[in-house]
Structures are given as structure tokens and as C-alpha cells.
Amino acid sequence: MAVYALTGFSLVSLLSFGYLSWDWMKPSLVADVATDPMEKSLSPTFTRPPHIIFILTDDQGYHDIGYHGSDIQTPTLDRLAAEGVKLENYYIQPICTPSRSQLITGRYQIHTGLQHSIIRPRQPNCLPLDQVTLPQKLQEAGYSTHMVGKWHLGFYKKECLPTRRGFDTFLGSLTGNVDYYTYDNCDGPGVCGYDLHEGEDVAWDQSGKYSTFLYAQRVSKILASHSPKEPIFIYVAFQAVHTPLQSPKEYIYRYRSMGNVARRKYAAMVTCMDEAVKNITWALKKYGYYDNSVIVFSTDNGGQTFSGGSNWPLRGRKGTYWEGGVRGIGFVHSPLIERKRRTSWALVHITDWYPTLVSLARGNLSNVQGLDGYDVWPAISEGKESPRTEILHNIDPLYNHAKYGSLEDGFGIWNTAVQASIRVGEWKLLTGDPGYSDWIPPQTLTNFPGSWWNLERLTDGLRKSVWLFNITADPYERYDLSEQRPDVVRTLLMRLVHYNRTAIPVRYPAENPRAHPDFNGGAWGPWASEDDGEEWEGGREPLKSRNKKKCKICKLRSFFRKLNTRLMSNRI
């Protein structure tokens, strides 16, 4: 395919903007932290608001980090986590938009209307404009705010763009997934466009640069141009390791002995991202930010198992409410942590970062009503008990209703056909259709997917609509206790009823043909005005692209598609 053929340009792309001039093998790139066990009593106090770097990776599986026993090399992340606090009771959402919306607003998706699926490129939808975002609160506290990477919170109006939602600068993509080199994204046959933006403009000149390196390079430039005396917030939302599976060849070579092709390419992407994080950490030290910084690392959802990811030994995958879809990789690394080098089992959810980071920044939360997140910094830094005791994973009234669910099965208080999930204390309840439910080992063998397809398959849940697990004693969700503990089921169903009463209507509008990139010069971008009073002429043909560079990209993509078709036909 074209996307794989283009990886041959990667070395040239790197040299073109000087990324390879950094010495990746230098051992001091990641901060050296004292190994004295008494260091916790010597930790710096907060004399001024800390610099905050939030790193979010895309589709990285629970198993896909070195310290979880992975076959993938992540030395930088392993070391940062080891010297900080690992969060081993940390939860995210099962897909992209919900996790990002809850991070940015501190609210469950039932409270933003984004409880169903994701925001798609042609939908007139975005993060509700009445929500005060995390970067806006940090701006109020005197922070310079910057975003690098994947937005995926809507863009149909200019008011929805990152630079209108609290970020001083933005370099990244607006949609859910793009080619790592060309930044093309197709939302169906013939609906393709370029998606890399600098601020509110299309960044045509950056095409050809591998996004993981481009984003790390941008973070370094931001740090170099800013004063460490002034607080800064940088949200780094890597595209990696979402499909398409693309990586510079030198990283794939490291995993040449890995028989499964998808896993090999995926592993290369994870290691490449790990080295990008190394360079960001080095830049924090080089430019004088590190000693007063807080680095948060988080995944956005579980790994996609048929695209190389692994959540082993957890059950399920991306897009499901099993632990493999919602239990994330997370850690905090900072010289400001009082009790470092430990693992925390405090219950933490992605909504908690909003109040936690605003509080660290000495911002004002008194005028923010209805947050679902908690300030968990004392639990992270000092090892105190988490203020969180439950998590609403979601209630999605639009998702396909389970065939065997009913109000009767829900004690007359809840229709168990509705997809929902909640955790209260050590108990987790799922209703409706939670999604693909197998336990899938890492896909290391050659004959994908047949080598693992028959392993750990579950068929006894096809006629069910209620599951209950003691998630503390049974983190892999192997023992359904719904029939043994109907009292607990009823209690948790009552909590779902409580949350459902607070939910706002789902925002999931039909796609609008005006969003077609051909009406925007060949790029994805806003298409509706603030008032949006114009009528759509449905019979009008899309305008031809006026951007010559885009035309070249389209021709190049077409050439490689034809070439790939010929190669495949010859192979057959």
C-alpha cells in the first residue's frame, strides 16, 4: 500500500529538520534522580506553579510497555515510571473522543452529550462550547498553553478548534487518524483530505515528516522559545500508535525476529514513541524546566488487538468496557513528588486530571460546577487514600441494545439491554453488550490471526445482559458473580439510575456533506459559520482543490495504490 511504500522517505524527512542531530543513546537524556531511599523527605516544595507536560498515547495496549512484561522495548517510559509513581488502578475510556473530552472537561461523557461513539469528521459536532476547558483554566492561572498532536474533539466551526478552546498554539491533526507521513485521512471512499494544522491554518509544508518526530521536535522548540520562569502547559497527544501501522524502517529492523507482521510494525511505533518521549524529557532538562515540572503519561484507551496491540492478561480490547478497553497505562514523573519510586493502587480516572492539574497550578475551581473528577495529587504524591470510590464507565443509550436484556432482568429499575458499566468500590457491573470479550495473548506468532484465535474464547455470555465482578480479587474478569450476588447487582443498578438522571441528551448529529475536504481546498477543516445561516446546495459538485501541493499528494497516493494493486495481483 502507499502508506507503507512512503516509509522509505523517513530518513530524509528526519534529516531535513535536524531531528537526528540529537544523541538518542546519551545515557543522561532522562533525568538522573537520586537513589537514596530517604530522598522523599528532601523533595522540593512548590515555590511556584509547576510546568505541566501531559503525554497521551493513542491505542497503546495495557501490555505494551516494558514494565508490564512486554516484548516491546520502552526504556524511557520504564525509567520515568520507575522514578515516579506508577498508577496501577487507573482508568480511561474505551475509545478516542470520550477519553479526550473527559480529560479536557473533567466530566463524564453523559454530562457533555458525547456518550455515543466518537466525533466523526463530517459531523457538525464538537466539544460543547459552554464547557470551560482545562487549558482555559490554566490560562486563567497564568500559564502559557500549547497543544501538539491529535485533537479529535470536533472542528466543524472555528469556535471548536484547539486555539479557541484554550490553547495558545496548536500543531496537529483535527480528525481521528491520518497517514503518519502524508497526513491524509479518508472518511469513506472518495472522501479524503489533508489533516495537519498549524494554529488555524493548514500546514501543507510539514507533509513528509513522520508525526511522532515532528511532534517531539515541536515540543522542544516551544520549550526553547519560552522562559522556564513562566509556567507552561504542553498537551502532547501523540498519534502513535493508532493505525495505520507505519514506522521508520530502522525501528522495524529491531523487531525483525518478531514473526507477526502487525505486531512487528506496532512494536516499532511504540519504541519510536518512547524515544520521542526521551527527547522531550531531555529538552525539559536542557532548557531549565525539569526541576519544577510534572510529567503525566496516559494512554487513551485499550489496544486494538487485530492491529498489533495487546492488553494481556486483561479481558477485551479497544472499544469494549471490559478491563482491556478501559484500564490504562498511567504514571506521573516529577521531582516534586514527595514519595517517589513506588506503585500506587489508588483509584484514578482520566476525569481526575482536570481538578488535579488546576489545583497544582494554583488555579480557581470554585467557579467550576459539576466536575466528575477529583484532585488526586495527595494520593499520587503522598500516598494518601484516593478521594474517588466509584467510576461511571459510561451509559450509551444509542448503542445496539442487547438481544436478551430487559427491564425485568434489571429488577424493574434498569433496562439491562442498554450498554452501561460502572465500578463502585471493588465491584464492577456491566449491562447490555459490553463488546468483544475474549482474552487475547500478544500476537507474536506468524499466522495472524489463526495462531491465537482459538485461545481463551468465551461463548457462555451470548445470552446474558448482566455481569458482575469483584475487580479487586478478579482483575481479569473471569468469574461472573451476578447470580451469586443479586444484592450487589441491584445496588449498582441503582447507581446507574442515579447517574442516568443527570445525563444530558446525546449529541450525535448526521453527517453534513459540506464537510467534504474538496470544499476546503483539499484539507479537513471548519465548514460552518458561527451563525451557519447558509443553505446547502445538495446537487452542487465539490470544488476542485486549489492547492497544488495537495494535488501532488493525491497523485502520489493514486500511483502507489495502483502499484500495490499490480504487485498484489502478481503475488496472487
Side-chain angles (χ1 to χ4, degrees):
M1 294 176 64
V3 293
Y4 300 126
L6 287 172
T7 58
F9 300 130
S10 60
L11 185 58
V12 175
S13 301
L14 290 173
L15 290 172
S16 68
F17 62 97
Y19 197 89
L20 292 182
S21 63
W22 291 8
D23 182 2
W24 289 353
M25 302 307 294
K26 186 176 179 181
S28 61
L29 294 188
V30 178
D32 293 319
V33 181
T35 57
D36 185 348
M38 295 301 293
E39 67 173 351
K40 63 185 180 183
S41 64
L42 304 175
S43 296
T45 57
F46 285 85
T47 58
R48 60 185 189 276
H51 308 297
I52 302 170
I53 311 298
F54 196 103
I55 300 173
L56 186 72
T57 61
D58 199 341
D59 286 9
Q60 183 179 359
Y62 178 82
H63 183 69
D64 299 328
I65 192 167
Y67 66 80
H68 281 173
S70 178
D71 53 347
I72 299 176
Q73 301 167 22
T74 58
T76 301
L77 299 180
D78 294 345
R79 185 173 179 184
L80 289 173
E83 294 170 350
V85 176
K86 299 174 184 175
L87 305 178
E88 290 300 327
N89 204 6
Y90 175 57
Y91 287 86
I92 48 183
Q93 295 306 113
I95 47 178
C96 301
T97 296
S99 281
R100 295 160 203 274
S101 69
Q102 297 194 43
L103 166 66
I104 292 294
T105 67
R107 289 171 168 80
Y108 293 140
Q109 58 205 88
I110 65 164
H111 295 145
T112 60
L114 300 175
Q115 54 266 58
H116 180 67
S117 190
I118 59 174
I119 296 178
R120 302 193 179 278
R122 288 179 281 173
Q123 284 184 315
N125 195 13
C126 72
L127 189 72
L129 298 177
D130 61 350
Q131 294 289 328
V132 179
T133 67
L134 171 61
Q136 286 173 331
K137 294 303 295 182
L138 293 176
Q139 282 180 331
E140 291 178 6
Y143 274 68
S144 173
T145 60
H146 307 268
M147 180 180 174
V148 180
K150 172 178 168 178
W151 176 237
H152 208 184
L153 289 174
F155 59 88
Y156 81 106
K157 290 183 178 182
K158 284 190 175 181
E159 290 76 15
C160 301
L161 297 176
T163 48
R164 306 287 181 101
R165 305 311 305 270
F167 290 104
D168 297 325
T169 69
F170 169 68
L171 174 68
S173 60
L174 299 174
T175 61
N177 67 294
V178 299
D179 185 285
Y180 281 73
Y181 292 96
T182 68
Y183 299 96
D184 287 341
N185 177 28
C186 294
D187 186 41
V191 188
C192 300
Y194 184 83
D195 184 17
L196 184 64
H197 293 74
E198 174 90 56
E200 298 182 8
D201 299 321
V202 182
W204 298 104
D205 59 323
Q206 301 294 342
S207 178
K209 301 174 183 179
Y210 188 67
S211 71
T212 303
F213 292 154
L214 175 65
Y215 294 156
Q217 180 83 354
R218 173 52 58 95
V219 173
S220 178
K221 288 181 179 179
I222 291 171
L223 293 172
S225 62
H226 188 78
S227 170
K229 295 181 181 179
E230 301 296 328
I232 190 170
F233 169 60
I234 306 179
Y235 172 36
V236 189
F238 281 115
Q239 175 187 352
V241 288
H242 197 290
T243 54
L245 299 179
Q246 296 171 288
S247 171
K249 289 182 178 179
E250 56 268 31
Y251 292 91
I252 297 177
Y253 184 77
R254 300 185 190 187
Y255 297 98
R256 60 192 179 278
S257 62
M258 193 174 285
N260 184 277
V261 175
R263 182 69 174 171
R264 185 191 313 157
K265 293 178 179 179
Y266 176 92
M269 295 166 70
V270 174
T271 296
C272 186
M273 177 271 297
D274 179 85
E275 293 194 349
V277 174
K278 175 189 287 188
N279 285 311
I280 291 173
T281 308
W282 182 39
L284 287 170
K285 291 193 70 179
K286 178 181 179 181
Y287 298 116
Y289 296 86
Y290 177 79
D291 289 341
N292 189 41
S293 68
V294 174
I295 301 172
V296 180
F297 181 90
S298 172
T299 50
D300 71 334
N301 46 245
Q304 188 57 277
T305 52
F306 53 75
S307 298
S310 175
N311 307 301
W312 185 259
L314 302 180
R315 183 177 184 177
R317 64 186 183 197
K318 173 184 177 177
T320 77
Y321 289 95
W322 304 107
E323 291 292 282
V326 298
R327 188 169 170 185
I329 300 172
F331 66 78
V332 180
H333 177 97
S334 173
L336 305 174
I337 293 174
E338 294 189 24
R339 293 182 57 195
K340 304 180 182 68
R341 301 180 181 277
R342 65 184 183 86
T343 297
S344 171
W345 294 94
L347 187 61
V348 178
H349 184 249
I350 196 166
T351 54
D352 297 332
W353 296 120
Y354 186 113
T356 299
L357 299 181
V358 173
S359 296
L360 279 176
R362 300 176 182 174
N364 181 16
L365 287 170
S366 63
N367 58 351
V368 181
Q369 304 298 321
L371 288 180
D372 294 306
Y374 295 84
D375 180 359
V376 292
W377 183 253
I380 293 171
S381 178
E382 304 169 42
K384 293 184 177 180
E385 186 176 349
S386 173
R388 177 176 288 282
T389 59
E390 64 183 49
I391 296 172
L392 175 67
H393 293 302
N394 196 25
I395 300 171
D396 185 348
L398 298 190
Y399 194 81
N400 296 334
H401 283 201
K403 183 177 180 180
Y404 296 98
S406 68
L407 188 62
E408 181 181 357
D409 289 342
F411 298 96
I413 59 175
W414 183 261
N415 183 357
T416 63
V418 175
Q419 186 190 63
S421 181
I422 188 171
R423 175 171 171 177
V424 178
E426 61 187 8
W427 295 103
K428 177 181 177 181
L429 179 77
L430 304 99
T431 70
D433 179 3
Y436 188 84
S437 64
D438 289 0
W439 294 267
I440 305 174
Q443 303 153 13
T444 56
L445 302 181
T446 304
N447 53 330
F448 171 76
S451 61
W452 50 266
W453 189 251
N454 294 320
L455 187 61
E456 299 282 12
R457 299 222 58 179
L458 185 73
T459 58
D460 62 356
L462 296 180
R463 295 178 177 271
K464 287 180 60 65
S465 62
V466 178
W467 293 261
L468 177 71
F469 301 96
N470 183 321
I471 215 67
T472 303
D474 178 25
Y476 311 139
E477 297 171 299
R478 293 181 177 273
Y479 307 105
D480 176 17
L481 302 176
S482 59
E483 295 184 4
Q484 291 93 320
R485 296 299 305 270
D487 57 320
V488 178
V489 171
R490 184 182 179 89
T491 298
L492 269 61
L493 288 176
M494 287 297 297
R495 293 303 296 161
L496 286 178
V497 171
H498 163 76
Y499 279 112
N500 198 47
R501 288 173 179 155
T502 69
I504 68 173
V506 179
R507 299 163 57 94
Y508 198 74
E511 295 181 342
N512 192 315
R514 278 190 294 173
H516 198 299
D518 284 356
F519 291 98
N520 193 39
W524 292 101
W527 72 86
S529 66
E530 184 175 355
D531 297 327
D532 196 25
E534 299 178 3
E535 292 296 325
W536 170 249
E537 299 177 20
R540 186 158 57 94
E541 291 294 323
L543 300 174
K544 299 221 177 204
S545 170
R546 299 188 181 92
N547 191 290
K548 294 182 179 179
K549 188 176 182 73
K550 175 60 187 173
C551 291
K552 291 179 181 179
I553 292 173
C554 293
K555 290 178 181 177
L556 186 63
R557 182 175 61 207
S558 177
F559 167 77
F560 280 115
R561 281 176 178 165
K562 292 178 181 178
L563 178 62
N564 182 68
T565 301
R566 291 178 183 175
L567 291 174
M568 291 300 293
S569 62
N570 291 337
R571 187 176 303 172
I572 294 172

